């Protein structure tokens, strides 16, 4: 009974705009933790409450729920709208939303495919420190997808991502390195060192 009273209290606080109460409910219902049953419909409701309070991470999660049809009807266009909202303000944008937009524009999923917009969002997420975005951005530069081909820049981002532990980046680096001139590899290492030192914020 104490647990139920606690849940009612959290719900009242969340309804009154208390972010931490809304986050406890959203994450608790999503994972079936904190004494809450797993309930994706309730989780979606509280991620929406958080989104309405301006929480960009909650918007990103809600977008993923729409993309996968978890707790809400599957709707890629709605997922993209949530990510656009979460990524709109560059100062507080969520890197996950930027990365998801990069993928959506690349694959034409829920939105018209657009290589240059895919590159734009992937680059923003990469500069914010999103490791998978860094790998994807590296490949975009190496393949000339959505941007002019730039092997040194491509290899640089793969080096950054590989250093941060992405196995895909390590494999691709091996695959491409064989075909790159030594001076391109040297330049890539110089640029990567700069990116690894930089604070992980959009610039």
């Amino acid at each position: 009974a104490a647990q139920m009273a606690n849940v009612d209290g959290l719900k009242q606080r969340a309804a009154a705009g208390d972010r931490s109460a809304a986050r406890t409910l959203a994450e608790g219902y999503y994972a079936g933790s904190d004494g809450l049953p797993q309930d994706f419909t309730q989780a979606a409701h509280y991620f929406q409450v958080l989104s309405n309070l301006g929480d960009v991470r909650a918007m990103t999660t809600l977008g993923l729920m729409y993309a996968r049809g978890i707790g809400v009807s599957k709707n890629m266009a709605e997922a993209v709208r949530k990510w656009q909202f979460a990524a709109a303000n560059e100062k507080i944008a969520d890197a996950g939303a930027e990365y998801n937009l990069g993928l959506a524009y690349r694959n034409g999923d829920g939105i018209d495919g657009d290589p240059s917009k895919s590159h734009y969002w992937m680059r923003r997420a990469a500069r914010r420190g999103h490791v998978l975005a860094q790998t994807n951005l590296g490949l975009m530069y190496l393949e000339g997808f959505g941007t002019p081909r730039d092997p040194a820049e491509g290899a640089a981002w793969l080096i950054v991502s590989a250093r941060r532990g992405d196995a895909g980046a390590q494999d691709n680096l091996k695959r491409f390195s064989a075909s790159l001139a030594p001076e391109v590899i040297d330049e890539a290492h110089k640029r990567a060192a700069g990116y690894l030192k930089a604070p992980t914020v959009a610039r």
Side-chain angles (χ1 to χ4, degrees):
Q3 182 64 43
M4 269 329 291
N6 181 26
V7 172
D8 288 343
L10 282 171
K11 287 182 174 177
Q12 282 164 0
R13 279 167 41 212
D18 180 325
R19 264 193 202 212
S20 75
R23 179 163 291 287
T24 300
L25 289 164
E27 292 176 351
Y29 279 121
Y30 192 90
S33 61
D34 284 331
L36 293 166
Q38 190 168 49
D39 184 331
F40 293 126
T41 307
Q42 286 280 9
H45 170 74
Y46 285 105
F47 279 120
Q48 184 62 62
V49 169
L50 278 171
S51 299
N52 297 346
L53 295 169
D55 187 311
V56 292
R57 230 171 71 223
M59 281 175 218
T60 301
T61 303
L62 197 53
L64 285 169
M65 293 177 83
Y66 274 105
R68 293 172 184 158
I70 297 173
V72 288
S73 301
K74 187 172 170 143
N75 184 335
M76 232 8 247
E78 188 58 34
V80 167
R81 270 197 292 279
K82 300 291 181 203
W83 297 329
Q84 284 170 329
F85 209 66
N89 180 339
E90 203 164 339
K91 283 199 177 70
I92 58 158
D94 182 72
E98 293 171 329
Y99 169 70
N100 291 337
L101 282 173
L103 290 181
Y105 276 114
R106 186 181 76 189
N107 301 329
D109 204 356
I111 204 163
D112 288 336
D114 185 326
S116 66
K117 283 185 178 165
S118 175
H119 174 263
Y120 169 80
W121 288 110
M122 213 49 91
R123 186 167 178 270
R124 270 191 36 181
R127 286 182 168 274
R128 212 179 283 280
H130 193 290
V131 175
L132 289 176
Q134 291 168 343
T135 300
N136 276 281
L137 184 65
L139 293 172
M140 286 176 164
Y141 279 116
L142 282 160
E143 293 162 0
F145 183 86
T147 183
R149 202 168 165 270
D150 185 338
E153 188 69 4
W157 282 108
L158 287 180
I159 291 164
V160 168
S161 182
R163 289 268 174 85
R164 298 213 159 116
D166 183 44
Q170 290 160 0
D171 293 343
N172 279 301
L173 203 49
K174 281 195 200 101
R175 188 160 66 89
F176 280 99
S177 291
S179 62
L180 298 177
E183 58 272 22
V184 171
I185 302 275
D186 287 348
E187 174 62 22
H189 277 283
K190 278 197 202 101
R191 291 188 199 179
Y195 294 144
L196 284 160
K197 275 208 254 335
T200 53
V201 291
R203 293 198 298 280

